[in-house]
Amino acid sequence: METPGQHKAQSFEQRIPEGDDRLRRVCQDCGFVDYENPKVVVGSVATWGDKVLLCRRAIAPRIGYWTLPAGYLEVHESAVDGACREAWEEARAKLEIDQLLGVYSIPRISQIQLIYRARLVTPDVSAGPETQELDLFDWADIPWDDIAFPSVHWALNDFDAVRGMTGFAPRGNPAGETGAM
C-alpha cells in the first residue's frame, strides 16, 4: 500500500504540466509533479591565523586532489550547520562561521555551492573518512596545480580578495565561468 506522497515508478510520464514550460515527471494517477532540483553543496574556506585548511580527497571524483571541506546539505539542515558538519566530517574541524563568501552555480552538474568564510576554533584537525590527509597551508604553499575543482579556485581567490574586510557582498562565478572541467 502506498503512503501519501509515494508513487509507483511506472505511473510517471514525461510531459509539460499545465502552467509550466518544460518537461517534468508527472504521476499519471494523481498529477503529482516530481520536480528535479539542483543539489546544494555547503562548505568553507576555514583558516587558523594566516593558514588555510585544505583536504586531500579520499573519494571520487578527483581522488587525491585538494579541496575545501564541503559536501551536500542534508534535509532539514541550515546551510551554516551543514558547512560546520562537513568541516567536522572531513577534517574533524570545529568552525566559527564569519559570513557567506560565495554562491557558485555549476549548471553542468545541477549544483549550487554556498561557501562560507570561517575560522577554526582550534588548530587540532585530523582526516575524516573522506579525506586522505589534510593540512593548514600558508597562502604561498597552496598546491594550486592539484586543486580538485574550479569552484575551489574561485572560493580561494574570492577569499583572498576579501581578506581583511569585515563586510562584503557574497561573490559568484567569475565572468564566463560555469565550473566545467
Side-chain angles (χ1 to χ4, degrees), residues 57 60-62 65-67 113 147-154 181:
R57 293 178 60 83
R62 309 286 287 163
Y65 286 83
W66 293 94
T67 191
Q113 297 184 2
I147 295 294
F149 308 108
S151 59
V152 175
H153 281 275
W154 304 343
M181 287 177 36

Side-chain angles (χ1 to χ4, degrees), residues 40-42 71-79 81-83 85-86 89:
V40 177
V41 169
V42 290
Y72 291 115
L73 184 66
E74 297 289 346
V75 174
H76 307 297
E77 182 176 55
S78 76
D81 288 346
R85 176 187 49 75
E86 285 293 337
E89 287 178 2

